[in-house]
Amino acid sequence: MPRVGGDQALAVYQELRIRPDATFDEVADRFELSAEERERCRDELATLGLTEPGEPAEDRAAESTGKPAEESAGPGAPRQGVPTVVDPDVALLRLLRRERDRLQERLAATSRTHTALEALAGPFLRAGATPRAEIEVEIVDVPGLARRSLADLMDSVRTAASFMHTGSVRREEMGAELAQDRLWADRGVRVRAMYSRRAASVPEMAQHLEERTAVGVEIRLSSVIPMNMVLADENFAMLPTDPYDPASPAILARGPGLVRSYLALYEYCWTAAAPYGQEDPAEKGGDGLSEQQRAALLMLASGIKDEQIARNLGVSLRTVSRLLSEVMQELGAASRFEAGVKAARLGLLDNEGTDRGL
């Protein structure tokens, strides 16, 4: 009898398939498993979906005979404790389906948030929706005017300013941004900023982030930044009308009743991002996949097209094809579907279940 945990579970599973009428404890006794070993095997087979607990003997007997439980018991009645053994291919498909459902639920929730953000401005622009003293929304399609409005409001920040950037900061704007950081630091304002890993990989940008961090700005990096966003004091928000087009007209929103919704989205992205300097962007996870490869794999498994993956990651279609080819090679998969199956089997699609979430 193998003494390694995984081998023991395999041996028990094979014996259960050979002896469909045997109970788990009977098979465990045959292999002389200790109490700890049999519980470990039982848990492993159940977690993999290879065994399911059988119905109580009296319930199964009554169901098969159509008689009350007390009249159904007899020499031919089903034995209590006999588990249901599931074929490996069925268990694998169930696991993949379950992981895909969970992933689609999370992505659907994110999609609903984006849809709500795009739709929020319209109702509040109509007269009488909400008193202007509480909420004000303005659509600005002149870039210069949007920048001036932003500059005026940044000067009045009292407690906190939060930024989300899909790209790099322009070279000519770095000095002014650093000067503003120093002013806020002197006034005790908390400043946070999120950038994409791709932008942070540019040497000049990396130097700028080092300088901002030295001043006291909290910086985090993520493989996917959904949109550009500026938040101030829970009372002001600035973001594009089209998250996929940074050049689209800007939404200027004032009033905590609306801005807190944007702040909730920011906090979600902030929690998922990694603190700057604590993780190498090129560092591989324990499974051999980089964070960018993992993000592409996660979106692929949810059914997102290559074009949308490219937009979400801020890369070209050619780069997406290369990333997915690298994922297939790393997983030893001959097709994208097979890569999804193997990723689900290895637990790579379960963000809550691993230390290597996106």
Side-chain angles (χ1 to χ4, degrees):
M1 174 63 190
R3 305 311 298 175
V4 180
D7 292 339
Q8 290 175 341
L10 176 60
V12 170
Y13 174 72
Q14 292 173 330
E15 186 70 13
L16 287 172
R17 287 175 62 88
I18 296 172
R19 301 170 57 194
D21 294 330
T23 67
F24 186 92
D25 286 332
E26 288 173 346
V27 173
D29 290 340
R30 179 180 182 278
F31 289 130
E32 300 180 354
L33 296 181
S34 66
E36 181 181 353
E37 289 172 335
R38 69 178 60 198
E39 286 306 312
R40 183 171 59 245
C41 290
R42 192 194 308 271
D43 291 343
E44 182 174 349
L45 294 178
T47 300
L48 294 174
L50 294 172
T51 59
E52 298 175 349
E55 299 178 7
E58 59 272 16
D59 292 347
R60 288 186 293 165
E63 181 179 351
S64 63
T65 62
K67 299 179 181 180
E70 60 273 11
E71 299 179 13
S72 302
R79 301 179 61 211
Q80 187 173 9
V82 176
T84 300
V85 181
V86 180
D87 289 341
D89 54 346
V90 174
L92 178 59
L93 289 176
R94 288 178 179 175
L95 175 62
L96 178 59
R97 188 180 302 113
R98 183 168 63 251
E99 295 303 322
R100 280 191 171 181
D101 290 343
R102 293 176 61 187
L103 176 62
Q104 288 172 353
E105 288 176 4
R106 290 194 292 269
L107 291 174
T110 302
S111 177
R112 288 193 295 269
T113 301
H114 280 289
T115 301
L117 290 175
E118 295 174 357
L120 272 174
F124 290 110
L125 287 175
R126 293 194 291 269
T130 305
R132 292 185 62 82
E134 296 180 9
I135 294 177
E136 295 182 11
V137 177
E138 180 182 5
I139 305 297
V140 180
D141 57 2
V142 180
L145 178 59
R147 285 194 293 270
R148 286 195 299 272
S149 299
L150 179 61
D152 293 340
L153 287 163
M154 289 297 97
D155 289 338
S156 62
V157 174
R158 298 186 304 275
T159 59
S162 303
F163 300 84
M164 188 183 291
H165 301 282
T166 58
S168 301
V169 179
R170 296 177 181 176
R171 180 181 304 174
E172 58 270 21
E173 295 176 350
M174 290 182 176
E177 188 173 66
L178 196 58
Q180 182 68 68
D181 291 340
R182 295 192 179 98
L183 290 175
W184 278 332
D186 292 339
R187 287 158 45 188
V189 175
R190 183 191 182 191
V191 184
R192 297 183 295 173
M194 273 186 285
Y195 297 88
S196 68
R197 294 191 179 282
R198 180 174 56 88
S201 64
V202 178
E204 188 174 34
M205 186 64 188
Q207 177 63 32
H208 180 60
L209 297 184
E210 291 285 353
E211 294 173 349
R212 295 197 72 187
T213 302
V215 174
V217 177
E218 299 174 46
I219 304 290
R220 291 198 175 188
L221 305 179
S222 177
S223 292
V224 180
I225 299 294
M227 68 182 77
N228 290 321
M229 182 185 294
V230 180
L231 301 170
D233 290 336
E234 297 188 0
N235 195 53
F236 169 78
M238 179 176 176
L239 62 158
T241 54
D242 183 356
Y244 302 113
D245 182 12
S248 63
I251 299 175
L252 301 182
R254 299 176 180 83
L258 179 57
V259 174
R260 283 170 184 161
S261 298
Y262 299 139
L263 183 59
L265 173 62
Y266 187 93
E267 294 294 348
Y268 174 83
C269 296
W270 180 261
T271 301
Y276 178 70
Q278 294 187 17
E279 182 180 351
D280 185 350
E283 182 180 352
K284 300 277 187 176
D287 50 32
L289 297 179
S290 68
E291 184 173 356
Q292 192 177 51
Q293 290 170 338
R294 183 186 294 277
L297 173 61
L298 197 62
M299 287 184 278
L300 171 68
S302 68
I304 296 178
K305 302 298 183 183
D306 287 10
E307 292 79 3
Q308 186 63 52
I309 295 176
R311 284 195 293 268
N312 289 348
L313 293 179
V315 299
S316 66
L317 274 173
R318 179 178 298 179
T319 300
V320 170
S321 297
R322 176 180 58 79
L323 287 172
L324 295 179
S325 295
E326 292 171 349
V327 168
M328 291 166 56
Q329 182 178 1
E330 181 68 31
L331 297 178
S335 66
R336 292 186 176 190
F337 177 79
E338 185 180 359
V341 172
K342 289 191 173 183
R345 185 178 182 183
L346 294 172
L348 304 182
L349 304 182
D350 187 354
N351 289 350
E352 285 97 22
T354 69
D355 297 331
R356 307 178 299 250
L358 292 174

